[in-house]
């Protein structure tokens, strides 16, 4: 019994590696769990295994506690009783004893905070959840979620046919990605990712082409000429920025397309694409959960909020 | 119609402890910390274990991340302190699925290289 008490006492001491906030919530359960598991190890596996468990649990609680402190600092949790006069006193003594070092330290922290602020501003701009398009906060993706499994369904051709009638959406577009071998004059064949995209997709994006035009509804008609739009990077890299690119022919897979437009630098809608060809599929001909994987995106109608659209 | 608010892939790869806890909390299970610890050991035949320090740090983190949520649970008949009970959220399930798919892909590579066939070089 005394050994067990000793083991628990050391465990409780080691628990102090965790921040106070965590201890206030979990300490009692952690101690109880430690004691139960220790008893279980001793009963089922003997004293040696129990001793191994005790040492492992001590080291583990210290390591996990330090990790949790770091996590809470990163998450911006304020430690309970964050302000302490002891800190003030220590700072004053430090300044009196080492004024030069203190000034350098304060200056260093100021520079560090400035750098961190700038870095976070940039990171926030990059990771901002708003799509970087005109009125990007009104551009949404639409998914079907299986209520039973909570898994999202990618074969949504059938659903897309229904969604097109929703009044809460101003424009709705769809695309599916296909891999094609690009064959063009003056370069080696290469496999590229091509977006087969509805003309409405370009209306959702609202980004004007740099050259030529984007894809139109008429391009989706069966028998219409095969046309393609390419991205700025592809234009520069693969076609040397040829100003006469509009009208040139490129081969994607077994089909030859006439280039009708070049999108501006940075445009990669819906997901980092550089080649776009017309959408020539009839969504109403697909049964539920059949057909290719499709991304569906839309622009909310004026006056519609995201919440009312989801209702 | 629902907008995907959080991408499960953003949390991938998962820490081992997070993945084990997500698997231990099967659909509908509402378990307290020690029961989760036992469930991890049971489902792996005792080969895998989560120590209390790692477990409770993981639980705190997973609640913050929305992978699990606290639920009311029945009192533990064996006594002990008041316990918190946890349930896997639908987002937690989606993250577990994404991690499982990642591991499956790695496993496919191992299979293709016949690492699992018992060959030794």
């Amino acid at each position: 019994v005394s050994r067990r008490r000793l083991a628990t006492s050391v465990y409780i001491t080691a628990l102090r590696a965790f921040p106070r906030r965590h201890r206030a919530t979990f300490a009692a359960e952690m101690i109880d769990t430690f004691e139960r598991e220790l008893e279980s190890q001793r009963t089922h596996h003997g004293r040696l295994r129990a001793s191994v468990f005790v040492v492992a649990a001590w080291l583990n609680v210290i390591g996990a506690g330090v990790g949790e402190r770091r996590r809470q600092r990163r998450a911006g949790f304020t430690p309970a009783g964050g302000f302490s006069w002891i800190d003030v006193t220590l700072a004053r003594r430090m300044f009196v004893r080492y004024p030069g070092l203190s000034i350098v330290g304060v200056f260093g922290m100021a520079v560090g905070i400035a750098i961190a602020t700038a870095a976070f501003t940039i990171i926030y701009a990059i990771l901002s959840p708003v799509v970087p398009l005109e009125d990007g906060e009104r551009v949404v993706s639409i998914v079907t979620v299986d209520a039973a499994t909570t898994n999202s369904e990618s074969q949504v051709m059938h659903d897309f046919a229904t969604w097109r009638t929703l009044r809460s959406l101003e424009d709705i577009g769809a695309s599916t990605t296909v891999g094609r071998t690009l064959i063009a004059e003056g370069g080696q064949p290469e496999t590229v990712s091509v977006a087969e995209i509805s003309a409405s997709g370009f209306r959702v994006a609202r980004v004007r082409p740099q050259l030529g035009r984007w894809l139109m509804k008429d391009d989706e008609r069966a028998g219409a000429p095969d046309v393609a739009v390419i991205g700025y990077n592809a234009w520069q890299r693969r076609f040397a920025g040829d100003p006469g690119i509009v009208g040139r022919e490129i081969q994607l897979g077994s089909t030859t397309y006439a280039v009708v437009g070049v999108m501006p630098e940075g445009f990669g809608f819906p997901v980092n694409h550089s080649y776009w060809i017309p959408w020539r599929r009839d969504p109403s001909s697909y049964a539920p959960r059949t057909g290719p994987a499709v991304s569906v995106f839309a622009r909310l109608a004026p006056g519609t909020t995201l919440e009312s659209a989801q209702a | 119609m629902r907008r995907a608010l959080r991408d499960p892939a953003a949390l991938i790869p998962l820490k081992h402890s997070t993945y084990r806890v997500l698997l231990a909390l099967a659909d509908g299970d509402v378990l307290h910390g020690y029961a989760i610890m036992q469930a991890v050991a049971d489902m792996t035949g005792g080969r895998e274990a989560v120590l209390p320090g790692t477990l409770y740090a993981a639980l705190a983190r997973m609640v913050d991340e929305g992978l699990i949520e606290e639920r009311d649970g029945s009192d533990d008949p064996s006594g002990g302190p008041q316990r918190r009970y946890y349930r896997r959220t639908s987002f937690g399930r989606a993250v577990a699925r994404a991690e499982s798919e990642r591991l499956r892909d790695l496993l496919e590579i191992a299979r293709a290289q016949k690492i699992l066939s018992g060959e030794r070089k």
Side-chain angles (χ1 to χ4, degrees):
Chain A
V1 173
S2 61
R3 277 184 193 163
R4 207 166 66 192
R5 277 189 186 160
L6 177 64
T8 303
S9 297
V10 174
Y11 191 79
I12 291 169
T13 305
L15 258 178
R16 297 189 70 80
F18 274 91
R20 194 181 301 174
R21 186 175 187 272
H22 190 280
R23 292 202 306 271
T25 309
F26 295 107
E29 272 190 73
M30 291 178 75
I31 294 163
D32 184 67
T33 297
F34 169 79
E35 288 182 328
R36 287 187 190 217
E37 188 60 20
L38 173 57
E39 183 60 27
S40 170
Q41 292 283 336
R42 198 186 65 77
T43 306
H44 295 107
H45 304 293
R47 284 186 176 176
L48 182 61
R49 280 281 293 273
S51 301
V52 171
F53 166 76
V54 166
V55 175
W58 287 345
L59 297 174
N60 172 255
V61 80
I62 292 170
V66 171
E68 181 63 11
R69 276 182 190 274
R70 278 201 213 107
R71 186 184 80 87
Q72 291 201 3
R73 264 202 302 274
R74 279 200 303 270
F77 293 136
T78 307
F83 179 80
S84 166
W85 282 107
I86 293 174
D87 293 339
V88 176
T89 306
L90 286 174
R92 181 175 53 77
R93 284 182 190 164
M94 185 76 181
F95 184 76
V96 170
R97 194 163 178 182
Y98 306 105
L101 183 63
S102 299
I103 290 169
V104 169
V106 169
F107 181 74
M109 279 194 287
V111 171
I113 290 168
I115 292 171
T117 304
F120 274 106
T121 304
I122 293 167
I123 289 168
Y124 182 77
I126 293 169
L127 300 181
S128 170
V130 175
V131 183
L133 296 172
E134 181 187 330
D135 291 335
E137 72 282 359
R138 303 193 64 74
V139 176
V140 296
S141 71
I142 305 177
V143 296
T144 294
V145 177
D146 186 322
T149 64
T150 73
N151 297 328
S152 57
E153 177 58 57
S154 57
Q155 292 176 293
V156 293
M157 273 290 196
H158 181 81
D159 296 337
F160 177 52
T162 309
W163 293 337
R164 287 193 301 186
T165 63
L166 290 173
R167 291 184 180 179
S168 54
L169 305 175
E170 183 180 346
D171 268 316
I172 179 168
S175 79
T176 183
T177 301
V178 291
R180 293 281 184 271
T181 302
L182 168 68
I183 302 170
E185 204 179 315
Q188 292 294 315
E190 63 176 313
T191 303
V192 295
S193 195
V194 180
E196 198 180 313
I197 187 169
S198 65
S200 54
F202 285 93
R203 292 201 303 272
V204 170
R206 287 188 184 169
V207 175
R208 293 277 157 200
Q210 179 158 336
L211 292 177
R213 65 172 177 88
W214 61 28
L215 299 177
M216 314 291 280
K217 184 73 184 166
D218 203 43
D219 297 323
E220 296 177 3
R221 186 174 41 83
D226 291 314
V227 294
V229 171
I230 66 172
Y232 181 89
N233 286 343
W235 176 45
Q236 291 295 320
R237 185 181 59 80
R238 190 62 207 251
F239 304 100
D242 176 11
I245 184 71
V246 173
R248 264 182 74 173
E249 290 190 334
I250 61 172
Q251 190 175 334
L252 291 167
S254 57
T255 307
T256 301
Y257 294 84
V259 176
V260 293
V262 177
M263 296 307 287
E265 190 171 11
F267 182 85
F269 196 74
V271 186
N272 202 25
H273 288 92
S274 289
Y275 295 88
W276 297 269
I277 60 175
W279 171 273
R280 286 176 183 161
R281 297 171 189 269
D282 178 11
S284 57
S285 66
Y286 287 85
R289 295 190 170 194
T290 62
V294 175
S295 300
V296 180
F297 35 84
R299 189 173 278 277
L300 295 175
T304 304
T305 63
L306 181 60
E307 290 71 29
S308 63
Q310 284 176 316
Chain B
M1 185 175 74
R2 200 175 109 181
R3 190 185 185 200
L5 294 175
R6 297 185 65 191
D7 182 6
L11 295 179
I12 303 304
L14 288 181
K15 289 187 171 193
H16 292 310
S17 56
T18 306
Y19 189 48
R20 288 171 190 157
V21 172
L22 285 174
L23 294 181
L25 285 167
D27 289 340
D29 279 358
V30 179
L31 302 177
H32 56 63
Y34 185 51
I36 292 172
M37 194 170 154
Q38 290 176 312
V40 169
D42 288 347
M43 73 186 182
T44 59
R47 290 187 301 276
E48 303 269 338
V50 183
L51 291 166
T54 301
L55 174 68
Y56 285 90
L59 292 175
R61 188 181 65 246
M62 291 169 73
V63 168
D64 289 344
E65 290 173 342
L67 300 173
I68 58 173
E69 61 188 4
E70 283 190 32
R71 278 296 175 98
D72 293 332
S74 54
D75 289 338
D76 190 344
S78 61
Q82 187 173 3
R83 294 181 174 279
R84 286 174 167 72
Y85 289 76
Y86 302 92
R87 172 186 166 278
R88 187 172 63 191
T89 63
S90 55
F91 178 66
R93 194 180 198 286
V95 170
R97 179 185 175 177
E99 177 69 357
S100 302
E101 287 171 345
R102 183 184 74 85
L103 294 173
R104 184 188 60 195
D105 291 345
L106 290 174
L107 190 59
E108 290 302 324
I109 294 169
R111 283 207 178 108
Q113 294 179 0
K114 302 194 188 314
I115 288 173
L116 286 179
S117 65
E119 291 179 7
R120 287 173 190 271
K121 287 192 176 182

